[in-house]
Amino acid sequence: MASAWGPVRRWDRAFNLYKNTRTVSVSLISRLAQYAQTLPPLDWERVPTLGEGSTPLVRSLSIGPRCGVDELYFKLESCNPTGSYKDRFVLCELGMRQAQGYTMCLATSSGNTGSSLASYAVRFGMRCHIFVLEETPAEKLQQMVAHGAHVHRVRGYGTNPAVTEAVPVKLRELCEKHAGSLVISAYRYCPEGMEGVKTIAYEIAEQMGSLPEHLFVPVGGGGLCSAVSRGVLEQDGQGEARVHAVQPSTNDTIVTPLRQGMAQARSVERGTSVSGLGVLNDIDGTRAIGLVRQTGGSGFLPSEEEILQTQRQLLEEEGVYAEPAGATAVAGFKKAVAEGVVSARERVVCLITGHGFKDASSLPNPQERAGFIALKEIDERVG
């Protein structure tokens, strides 16, 4: 599939600058610039990067071998500047909007988009108002507020389908009234910015020499899964990767329709407590279903307990600190192994989308496990 964006103005100069500064400690240009030919046109020399992209791809030491899969890898999107893959989206989106003359943005967020937007808005010199879910974790709220964003928690947003549908509509009206830009990490609202997310697939192919046989992606609204699938389908000659959508079983808007051959995503009433994945309605879900099918992929539905157990397993066996949403892809991988979808000699990549620091409440209280001792007891504790 060819890129829809065509030739990019001054791409050669931007890419040469990227290559010439890769070994310099100062970040002069975004690492996403190396894929500029596949992205919307940006003046990459002027985009105020924080060093987003080029995240590590690390091999599993425990979970893969235990499941009988020799080559399981984790793509640590948690190593982006604000701790999630959303930095790829926000950089491209604000870059486009600034070029169009916008100085203010309004956004919805379950947490990570807001955290990223608050940070990059400072870099771009833009004012931002962020309207977040009622149950957004305190750690993500802290990131937003610390950067000076105007943050508003909307009652019923993320728990009430009617309210959840109404918020973007209201914000679009306000953007028109106040000459602001609406920023929502979904193709439905911000297709140009979301193209920045597909660079994940390009990086994986570059890091591995070709695309892996399987790529597991956590799903909320479906934007990430759509972007990664697009990135896979655009890479002619890099192999074929089956993209698999993974959702918490209580927020099944996409997986069951995907597995049952339905054309469209559906709405649900209950949702999930896994921050970032609790999207009740079809935002990019129908788009994701179509793109995942093009890759030959499927979908999996781990329970919330299975996701939290996998989060603990990543911590204790792999040294990877992921928030629950970031551990969801790995939980889906384990289900795929149990169903016989993945074979021992196939290469598998799971996206770790966000850092564990963003949702510390998902783990036991550290005060209870780190007890006080006296100086004289130190020798007794080390045996």
Side-chain angles (χ1 to χ4, degrees):
M1 179 189 295
S3 171
W5 302 106
V8 176
R9 181 182 167 198
R10 291 194 290 180
W11 176 82
D12 288 334
R13 182 179 176 188
F15 181 54
N16 287 334
L17 179 59
Y18 168 81
K19 290 194 297 183
N20 292 337
T21 59
R22 288 183 75 175
T23 58
V24 179
S25 60
V26 179
S27 294
L28 301 178
I29 192 167
S30 174
R31 295 166 181 173
L32 272 59
Q34 63 182 311
Y35 310 111
Q37 285 184 313
T38 74
L39 299 175
L42 285 174
D43 188 346
W44 290 100
E45 295 179 43
R46 296 183 181 274
V47 173
T49 181
L50 278 171
E52 56 289 321
S54 293
T55 54
L57 185 69
V58 301
R59 191 166 185 167
S60 169
L61 301 177
S62 175
I63 296 174
R66 181 177 295 179
C67 291
V69 176
D70 294 332
E71 291 195 66
L72 169 65
Y73 299 89
F74 307 123
K75 178 66 168 165
L76 301 185
E77 285 297 289
S78 50
C79 291
N80 275 297
T82 74
S84 85
Y85 79 92
K86 294 296 179 76
D87 293 346
R88 299 175 187 266
F89 159 70
V90 170
L91 177 83
C92 290
E93 182 64 22
L94 291 194
M96 296 295 295
R97 300 306 149 231
Q98 186 181 64
Q100 294 168 351
Y102 287 99
T103 59
M104 181 181 74
C105 56
L106 279 67
T108 66
S109 177
S110 60
N112 283 333
T113 297
S115 299
S116 181
L117 183 63
S119 174
Y120 280 85
V122 175
R123 300 286 290 176
F124 279 88
M126 299 178 71
R127 293 180 295 126
C128 71
H129 288 265
I130 306 171
F131 299 83
V132 301
L133 302 186
E134 187 174 346
E135 299 176 352
T136 297
E139 294 84 359
K140 296 177 183 180
L141 291 173
Q142 186 177 48
Q143 276 187 288
M144 301 178 215
V145 172
H147 286 296
H150 302 281
V151 184
H152 318 276
R153 282 188 285 182
V154 181
R155 295 194 185 280
Y157 187 31
T159 57
N160 183 311
V163 173
T164 303
E165 285 276 11
V167 169
V169 176
K170 173 60 69 175
L171 295 191
R172 191 183 294 276
E173 294 172 358
L174 290 173
C175 283
E176 294 176 358
K177 180 178 179 181
H178 298 286
S181 175
L182 180 63
V183 179
I184 301 176
S185 57
Y187 275 97
R188 175 187 286 190
Y189 300 102
C190 299
E192 293 174 318
M194 284 300 295
E195 287 290 271
V197 180
K198 73 183 181 185
T199 58
I200 295 171
Y202 281 87
E203 286 183 9
I204 290 171
E206 181 179 333
Q207 290 167 317
M208 302 187 76
S210 63
L211 288 166
E213 283 71 32
H214 299 276
L215 216 167
F216 288 82
V217 182
V219 171
L224 170 63
C225 195
S226 297
V228 171
S229 296
R230 281 178 58 83
V232 165
L233 293 167
E234 287 180 2
Q235 296 187 72
D236 295 332
Q238 290 298 317
E240 297 181 357
R242 297 166 63 186
V243 178
H244 303 292
V246 186
Q247 286 186 291
S249 58
T250 56
N251 210 112
D252 181 15
T253 58
I254 293 172
V255 170
T256 292
L258 172 63
R259 291 181 67 124
Q260 293 184 355
M262 300 176 187
Q264 294 184 320
R266 62 187 184 184
S267 296
V268 296
E269 293 290 334
R270 181 179 172 188
T272 177
S273 63
V274 177
S275 172
L277 303 186
V279 179
L280 305 178
N281 307 314
D282 179 7
I283 300 178
D284 283 338
T286 296
R287 180 191 304 269
I289 287 173
L291 287 166
V292 167
R293 282 202 180 114
Q294 287 185 52
T295 73
S298 185
F300 300 92
L301 291 169
S303 67
E304 290 188 4
E305 179 51 42
E306 287 172 324
I307 291 169
L308 293 176
Q309 189 276 331
T310 301
Q311 180 195 28
R312 294 189 293 270
Q313 198 174 5
L314 283 166
L315 281 162
E316 297 170 3
E317 299 180 19
E318 302 283 2
V320 173
Y321 192 6
E323 65 174 324
T328 297
V330 185
F333 156 75
K334 292 192 290 184
K335 282 200 165 292
V337 171
E339 292 183 20
V341 173
V342 176
S343 67
R345 295 186 179 181
E346 291 181 313
R347 297 175 304 162
V348 181
V349 174
C350 293
L351 298 192
I352 307 297
T353 50
H355 204 288
F357 290 141
K358 288 176 165 288
D359 191 1
S361 63
S362 64
L363 294 168
N365 185 346
Q367 303 294 339
E368 297 175 358
R369 300 186 64 177
F372 289 100
I373 64 171
L375 176 62
K376 64 182 180 181
E377 296 178 90
I378 293 177
D379 287 341
E380 302 171 9
R381 299 305 173 103
V382 181

